[in-house]
Amino acid sequence: MPTIKFTANLKRFYPELTEIEMDSLDLNEILDALESKFKGLKDYVVDEQGQLRKHVNIFIGDELIRDRIALSDAVKPTDEIYIMQALSGG
């Protein structure tokens, strides 16, 4: 099963959030499953149109996801997925 990992910023809002394994074929399914466990988490990650928010990045392994709109990137059982807040400013 893919392993999903989170940054400390998300844990600030969801203290019970820990590294988790989920059986899924794509990112959209993973986000739906996460939402069922952690209410409101999906709203932090995606906007009202279901697209990845500008301040959030998701990596599958060391690759930034390609589909920020439909979140259809495929996920393999051995993948590590990182959901993190993008940093900006100076």
Side-chain angles (χ1 to χ4, degrees):
M1 284 191 271
T3 303
I4 299 92
K5 299 180 178 188
F6 307 90
T7 61
N9 290 337
L10 280 174
K11 292 178 185 178
R12 191 175 70 203
F13 300 109
Y14 298 93
E16 69 282 3
L17 192 62
T18 60
E19 183 177 303
I20 188 169
E21 290 185 352
M22 297 195 142
D23 192 18
S24 185
L25 300 175
D26 67 35
L27 285 175
N28 225 351
E29 288 180 3
I30 287 172
L31 291 175
D32 286 341
L34 286 171
E35 177 64 21
S36 69
K37 290 182 158 291
F38 307 103
K39 298 293 180 211
L41 181 63
K42 189 172 181 179
D43 289 336
Y44 179 85
V45 176
V46 299
D47 64 16
E48 297 78 22
Q49 290 79 38
Q51 300 175 10
L52 195 63
R53 290 189 182 276
K54 292 178 184 173
H55 69 278
V56 175
N57 283 326
I58 298 178
F59 287 82
I60 299 175
D62 59 356
E63 301 271 331
L64 189 60
I65 65 168
R66 296 178 187 181
D67 186 2
R68 293 182 65 91
I69 296 172
L71 304 172
S72 63
D73 294 60
V75 176
K76 295 180 288 202
T78 57
D79 282 336
E80 289 186 340
I81 299 160
Y82 302 91
I83 300 175
M84 59 187 66
Q85 184 178 18
L87 300 176
S88 63

